[in-house]
Amino acid sequence: MIALARFLLKSYTRKHAYFAPLAATLIAMFLLYSYKPNPVMDSYAVTSVFLFIGAAWMGLTFLNHVSPQQEQLHIIHIGSLKKYLFSQILALIIPVILFTVIFIVFPILTHMFNRPVYLSELLMAICGHVILGILGFMLSLFFQTAWMPNGTRAIAMMLIVVIVSLGAKSIISRFPFPVSWIRWILPPVSPIMDGLINSTVFTPGQVWGALGYGLVYILLLCLIYMFISVRRDART
C-alpha cells in the first residue's frame, strides 16, 4: 500500500492539480503572518482551519485525477478494493503532515509570535492541524467524481459542508433545544478551533476531548466510506 500511495502521489503531482490548493493555503498562511507579533494559539487555530480547507480542496482534486480504468488496474494490481482505498487515504495523509510541519515551524523560526510556544501548546497545535487536515480530505472522499459525476454540484455541496462546519457553533446556537443534537452530526471543526483558541481558558481535558472527538469522527467517516465503497463495488 505504501508503494501504491507513493505512486498515486507522484501521478498527482505530475498533473499539477495540486498547485491551486497548495498555493492558496500557503498564501493564506503568509497573509496571516504578514505582521507580528501574533498570539500563539489563536494563530495556530486559524492555520489549522486553513489546512482543513486546503486538504478538502486537495483531496477533491487528488481523487478526481485518476480515470476509472486506471483505478481498476490499481485495484487488480494491489489485490483488493479496501487496500486501494487505504492507499488513497495514506497518500493524502502525507501532504497533511508536510503542511502541518510548515504551519507549526514557520512562525517559530521567523519569530512571529508574541511569546515562546510552550510544549503543551505545541502538542495541541500539531494534533489540531493533523486532525483537521485529515478531516478535510476525508470529507472530500464523499464528493469525488466516482460518487457524484456532476463536478459542479459536488464542489458546491462540499463547500456548503465546509462553511457549515466552520460556523457550526453559531448555527447550532440558533436552533431550539430539541434539535441541538445535530451538532454531533456536523464535522467537529468548530469545537476543535474553539478548543485551540481557548486553550488557556479551557481545561486540558476539554481541549484534548475536542481533539479526540475529531479523531473518532474521522474513524467513523473512514468506516462509512469503506462500507459504502465496498457495497457500490459489489453491485457493479
Side-chain angles (χ1 to χ4, degrees):
M1 288 191 294
I2 295 176
L4 179 56
R6 191 185 306 119
F7 177 84
L8 290 172
L9 270 179
K10 189 177 294 184
S11 170
Y12 176 57
T13 54
R14 283 175 181 169
K15 296 191 176 182
H16 305 291
Y18 69 93
F19 181 76
L22 171 66
T25 306
L26 290 178
I27 289 171
M29 182 196 71
F30 290 135
L31 288 175
L32 175 66
Y33 293 121
S34 59
Y35 67 92
K36 61 180 181 179
N38 296 274
V40 176
M41 293 308 290
D42 294 61
S43 301
Y44 278 148
V46 173
T47 53
S48 66
V49 171
F50 289 163
L51 183 52
F52 167 71
I53 298 171
W57 187 358
M58 184 173 291
L60 200 61
T61 58
F62 174 84
L63 294 164
N64 293 340
H65 90 279
V66 178
S67 66
Q69 294 77 15
Q70 286 178 306
E71 285 193 334
Q72 289 301 319
L73 289 174
H74 290 322
I75 293 170
I76 292 172
H77 177 74
I78 201 171
S80 73
L81 175 62
K82 287 184 179 180
K83 288 183 178 180
Y84 174 70
L85 297 177
F86 275 120
S87 298
Q88 285 184 320
I89 293 173
L90 181 60
L92 285 166
I93 288 176
I94 294 173
V96 166
I97 293 175
L98 292 176
F99 269 115
T100 297
V101 172
I102 294 172
F103 286 163
I104 296 295
V105 173
F106 174 80
I108 296 176
L109 294 181
T110 53
H111 307 288
M112 288 292 175
F113 292 139
N114 56 2
R115 60 171 176 80
V117 182
Y118 304 130
L119 179 60
S120 60
E121 293 175 329
L122 193 64
L123 293 175
M124 288 178 184
I126 292 172
C127 291
H129 281 77
V130 172
I131 289 173
L132 284 184
I134 295 176
L135 180 60
F137 77 70
M138 286 300 299
L139 290 175
S140 70
L141 296 175
F142 298 90
F143 299 98
Q144 59 182 295
T145 303
W147 288 41
M148 299 184 69
N150 190 322
T152 304
R153 181 180 300 172
I155 293 173
M157 291 185 66
M158 191 179 77
L159 186 60
I160 291 172
V161 172
V162 168
I163 293 172
V164 171
S165 301
L166 294 174
K169 183 178 180 180
S170 58
I171 293 173
I172 295 300
S173 64
R174 299 175 183 275
F175 284 9
F177 178 75
V179 293
S180 60
W181 55 266
I182 199 172
R183 70 181 184 274
W184 299 108
I185 299 176
L186 297 176
V189 180
S190 183
I192 293 175
M193 181 173 61
D194 196 35
L196 293 178
I197 292 175
N198 297 293
S199 59
T200 57
V201 179
F202 293 168
T203 64
Q206 289 176 303
V207 180
W208 286 109
L211 294 171
Y213 173 48
L215 186 59
V216 171
Y217 197 94
I218 288 170
L219 293 175
L220 288 175
L221 283 182
C222 186
L223 290 174
I224 293 170
Y225 176 66
M226 291 291 176
F227 177 76
I228 297 177
S229 296
V230 171
R231 283 181 61 88
R232 284 169 57 90
D233 186 67
R235 292 176 179 177
T236 56

